[in-house]
Amino acid sequence: MEGDMSVAINAGIHSDVSSPSISNHTTVFVFFSKTNIVFIMATLLVLTLGSVSVLGYHPLPEMMIDANPRAPRGVREGVSSKELLTSGDPFGWSNNQLQWQRTAYHFQPVKNWMNGPLYYKGWYHLFYQYNPESAVWGNITWGHSASQDLVNWIHLPIALYPDRWYDQNGAWTGSVTVLPTGQIVILYTGSAYNNVQVQNLAVPADPEDPLLIRWVKSDSNPILFPPEGIEDEDFRDPTTAWYDSSDSTWLIAIGSKNVNKTGLALLYKTKDFVNYQLLPEVLHEVQGTGMWECVDFFPVSNDGESGLATSENGPHVRHVLKASLDDDRYDYYAIGTYDVGRGIWTPDDPEVDVGIGAKYDYGKFYAAKTFFDPKKNRRILWGWTGETDSENVDVLKGWASIMAFPRTLLMDRKTGTNLLQWPVEEVEKLRTDNYNFSDINISAGSVVPLYVGGTADQLDITVEFEIPKKAFAALADSNTLKYNCSTSSGATGRGVLGPFGLLVLADQKQTEQTAVYFYIAKSNEGKFHTFFCQDEILSSQANGIIKQLPGINVPVLDGENISVRILVDHSIVESFAQGGRTCITSRVYPTQAMHAEHIFLFNNATDENVIAKSVNVWKLKSAHNEAITEKAMLGSMK
């Protein structure tokens, strides 16, 4: 079947092993001849550019869903369902409240609903699924933005429209590969007639243009169809390619599942990015995990502090396999060993395999993608953060969905079992006023305000807690059971040692608050566990919002204090515990705490005090996030 397919496809791109180029019969539209002027103009655009109280009780979280919702859209339409969530009469959002929810330094398009990142000729590029016509899902194109610092962005013309028969129902997720020659290829999934998922190829029309404004689709498209045994709607999201020097080929993985709901990653090899061979063994599979979307596969160093290029391998290298599970909308990863010769990846621990083990993020974070940044020798992770309100409200706002702040990603060499995620250092460019606090004794059952002057809705916070030794002794005597964030009473629960942490986006009386906290418990086996949780239940007084209690056990090694870093940006809270071993992202929509002036430390333990050894709070200024059109850029050429 693979052989027959390759014969039937006309080669729209031909190449040697690592150097594909546009063929003679492919039409090429050259957008700019004076790329230096484009570079200068875009650069100029970027540059111009006291009291103590006990927390009140709240019930366990409930998902508020209308009794008669509209029929949800599903995978056939390219998205998991998002119902029109309501509970009684809809909340009366004011224009001011809706405008306040827009983030100030997280990436998002200027408007409407928002695939593969790369670094090229001095610019970071971000491609993303985008609906240019509405704030709800549909008409999926490849949006395109560029930045020189991962903070300030210019929005460029759309890169790929769904304008061919093979992507008529949407130009879906894919990846970008930069070859050693500097050439670039995009592989993406097209939803074709009758929702058949096929893979397609596109290349820059002008590789000399550092902004990569124009792209041309290959005449060979579609280059891959679902193979035998795979359903037409279960074949999507090709990975970035990696190179196998043993036979001078490139390999890609594509997410899928079989009829038994076994999630898997199919493995293909190619020499020219047009003709492909399906390898007999899958890269990996895990029973019962369902459809694997947005598969990512990349190396991490066992013994270094730098990221690795995607094709790197050797004795100092481990490989990470990540899949986004369409069944529960979380990104799961596992660390393991890649056998190049057999084309098989094996997890270090099958008990924490892909889909049943660690998540990138335990909150609202999905369809994540990494890329290697050669400028700073680091691997950077992007993740999509959707809304948790209703589509009705999205339409009122005029936009929906953002990207989580980009994160560096490294192997945690201390544990050897997990990754570390941390906001890229460029966020520090946005820091302004700094407020320092130290050695704050947070007594049991108390809330301590931290005054930071003005509003507290754009913040970078770091906190280190110290637990007195006698507190652990008290916990040992209590024989508490193992804790669970999601089934607990959240920040309002009370235990011997927790919950304790911070309240952000909170009003003066804490009628609205998002709690980021820790809870230390002892299991029946006598082991101490530190849980890291985020309580969204009191985050908004509005109805029609999904509010949850995400969290998990976070490793805390001997001699380590408990620490957290929190990024606050209006309607998003991103938290990183223990240097990024565990991360939680929440979308929240305050109604009373929109312009709050305070954050709070709290300790809702029944008996034991906790010490905040150090608290650093930085105000963050807004990033530049502006659109630039083809018309404007063409005008600059005159």
Side-chain angles (χ1 to χ4, degrees):
M1 184 173 180
E2 275 293 312
D4 293 341
M5 186 183 302
S6 64
V7 171
I9 296 175
N10 294 320
I13 287 184
H14 62 85
S15 70
D16 56 23
V17 170
S18 60
S19 180
S21 59
I22 302 173
S23 73
N24 292 332
H25 66 271
T26 301
T27 303
V28 179
F29 299 95
V30 178
F31 183 51
F32 293 119
S33 59
K34 300 179 180 178
T35 56
N36 58 329
I37 296 179
V38 176
F39 184 88
I40 293 170
M41 292 301 296
T43 303
L44 288 174
L45 179 60
V46 172
L47 293 177
T48 58
L49 309 178
S51 60
V52 176
S53 63
V54 178
L55 296 174
Y57 171 77
H58 63 67
L60 292 178
E62 293 182 358
M63 185 180 295
M64 297 171 288
I65 302 180
D66 186 7
N68 297 293
R70 182 191 68 185
R73 295 159 301 150
V75 175
R76 288 182 62 87
E77 292 80 16
V79 65
S80 290
S81 63
K82 178 180 181 181
E83 309 257 358
L84 293 173
L85 301 174
T86 60
S87 180
D89 295 331
F91 185 79
W93 292 102
S94 69
N95 288 334
N96 184 46
Q97 288 172 323
L98 295 175
Q99 291 172 10
W100 178 88
Q101 292 176 13
R102 188 172 180 88
T103 56
Y105 61 90
H106 282 74
F107 174 85
Q108 63 184 123
V110 176
K111 61 179 182 177
N112 299 339
W113 197 90
M114 79 132 261
N115 273 331
L118 80 152
Y119 180 81
Y120 185 70
K121 293 185 181 292
W123 289 86
Y124 295 101
H125 292 260
L126 181 62
F127 300 92
Y128 49 93
Q129 291 192 349
Y130 178 56
N131 182 355
E133 298 180 354
S134 176
V136 299
W137 187 94
N139 188 38
I140 295 303
T141 67
W142 270 46
H144 181 197
S145 295
S147 171
Q148 291 187 311
D149 60 7
L150 291 170
V151 173
N152 301 293
W153 292 88
I154 54 174
H155 298 283
L156 300 171
I158 287 172
L160 299 174
Y161 283 96
D163 56 4
R164 307 294 176 89
W165 69 266
Y166 49 76
D167 57 16
Q168 66 182 36
N169 292 318
W172 291 359
T173 300
S175 298
V176 185
T177 301
V178 182
L179 305 182
T181 59
Q183 293 176 292
I184 303 172
V185 293
I186 280 178
L187 297 175
Y188 74 96
T189 298
S191 180
Y193 175 75
N194 204 27
N195 298 299
V196 177
Q197 294 170 9
V198 297
Q199 312 311 317
N200 304 301
L201 172 67
V203 296
D206 179 9
E208 296 304 313
D209 172 17
L211 292 179
L212 300 172
I213 299 292
R214 290 285 185 90
W215 294 82
V216 59
K217 299 176 183 178
S218 171
D219 287 348
S220 296
N221 288 340
I223 54 174
L224 282 172
F225 292 85
E228 185 176 355
I230 298 298
E231 296 293 328
D232 289 345
E233 299 167 21
D234 298 331
F235 182 64
R236 55 185 178 270
D237 310 336
T239 64
T240 300
W242 65 94
Y243 188 65
D244 181 359
S245 59
S246 66
D247 61 355
S248 301
T249 57
W250 291 87
L251 295 103
I252 63 167
I254 298 176
S256 188
K257 68 176 180 180
N258 65 21
V259 294
N260 298 319
K261 292 202 66 172
T262 295
L264 54 90
L266 301 165
L267 194 59
Y268 289 85
K269 66 169 48 183
T270 181
K271 289 193 173 185
D272 58 9
F273 287 89
V274 173
N275 302 288
Y276 292 80
Q277 175 189 355
L278 175 62
L279 299 188
E281 299 281 351
V282 298
L283 179 65
H284 191 58
E285 62 182 11
V286 180
Q287 293 181 356
T289 53
M291 178 66 200
W292 283 13
E293 297 188 309
C294 303
V295 170
D296 201 11
F297 185 66
F298 56 89
V300 289
S301 174
N302 268 335
D303 53 13
E305 294 295 333
S306 298
L308 300 178
T310 305
S311 299
E312 189 84 15
N313 207 347
H316 67 291
V317 174
R318 309 275 282 288
H319 276 79
V320 175
L321 180 61
K322 187 277 302 186
S324 302
L325 298 197
D326 193 43
D327 285 356
D328 68 5
R329 310 301 281 179
Y330 285 106
D331 278 15
Y332 293 83
Y333 77 88
I335 301 169
T337 303
Y338 174 48
D339 186 331
V340 182
R342 298 174 59 206
I344 294 175
W345 174 89
T346 304
D348 291 344
D349 183 356
E351 297 297 317
V352 289
D353 207 342
V354 179
I356 58 175
K359 301 174 183 176
Y360 271 163
D361 192 295
Y362 289 82
K364 191 68 175 176
F365 188 93
Y366 192 67
K369 177 68 180 176
T370 67
F371 76 103
F372 176 68
D373 173 14
K375 180 182 179 181
K376 294 191 175 182
N377 290 320
R378 58 187 176 174
R379 183 158 290 274
I380 296 176
L381 172 70
W382 281 101
W384 171 67
T385 300
E387 307 295 321
T388 57
D389 60 0
S390 72
E391 286 190 348
N392 288 336
V393 178
D394 295 344
V395 172
L396 289 175
K397 288 185 297 190
W399 58 270
S401 301
I402 62 176
M403 300 298 286
F405 200 79
R407 309 170 179 180
T408 57
L409 194 152
L410 287 170
M411 178 81 173
D412 185 352
R413 291 187 294 159
K414 290 184 178 180
T415 65
T417 58
N418 59 272
L419 299 174
L420 297 175
Q421 302 171 57
W422 203 243
V424 296
E425 61 185 6
E426 285 85 346
V427 71
E428 298 175 11
K429 296 174 57 176
L430 300 175
R431 288 175 174 175
T432 56
D433 300 336
N434 178 225
Y435 300 84
N436 296 305
F437 310 89
S438 60
D439 295 320
I440 300 174
N441 185 57
I442 317 169
S443 59
S446 70
V447 178
V448 180
L450 300 176
Y451 296 95
V452 295
T455 59
D457 50 18
Q458 295 175 208
L459 303 175
D460 184 356
I461 308 167
T462 61
V463 185
E464 184 176 345
F465 295 99
E466 182 178 82
I467 311 300
K469 290 184 179 179
K470 70 180 186 68
F472 285 101
L475 185 65
D477 293 338
S478 71
N479 194 30
T480 56
L481 296 175
K482 188 173 180 179
Y483 187 75
N484 184 296
C485 297
S486 298
T487 59
S488 73
S489 296
T492 63
R494 306 203 69 182
V496 175
L497 193 45
F500 62 89
L502 292 93
L503 305 178
V504 298
L505 294 175
D507 64 343
Q508 180 64 38
K509 296 181 180 180
Q510 299 113 54
T511 56
E512 283 185 337
Q513 62 188 31
T514 298
V516 182
Y517 71 89
F518 295 91
Y519 187 102
I520 302 176
K522 186 170 73 74
S523 69
N524 289 331
E525 295 78 25
K527 295 181 179 180
F528 292 102
H529 297 269
T530 301
F531 290 84
F532 177 56
C533 317
Q534 204 142 288
D535 186 346
E536 305 165 359
I537 307 306
L538 296 179
S539 63
S540 175
Q541 293 187 7
N543 54 16
I545 295 173
I546 299 175
K547 303 170 187 176
Q548 298 180 319
L549 277 164
I552 194 70
N553 182 22
V554 58
V556 179
L557 305 183
D558 289 343
E560 291 183 341
N561 281 333
I562 292 174
S563 64
V564 65
R565 183 176 182 182
I566 307 171
L567 297 182
V568 178
D569 190 3
H570 294 259
S571 60
I572 184 171
V573 177
E574 292 185 78
S575 302
F576 307 82
Q578 297 306 110
R581 286 181 188 142
T582 301
C583 307
I584 304 174
T585 298
S586 295
R587 295 303 308 276
V588 294
Y589 311 94
T591 64
Q592 306 298 312
M594 287 171 39
H595 303 292
E597 298 181 0
H598 308 296
I599 57 178
F600 300 87
L601 295 169
F602 79 94
N603 177 15
N604 215 29
T606 54
D607 300 300
E608 300 301 325
N609 297 354
V610 172
I611 299 170
K613 287 295 294 180
S614 66
V615 181
N616 266 292
V617 181
W618 287 272
K619 294 290 191 71
L620 297 183
K621 61 185 178 183
S622 299
H624 295 291
N625 195 14
E626 302 187 28
I628 184 168
T629 64
E630 289 187 54
K631 183 178 180 180
M633 297 193 75
L634 285 170
S636 70
M637 300 290 294
K638 296 180 180 179

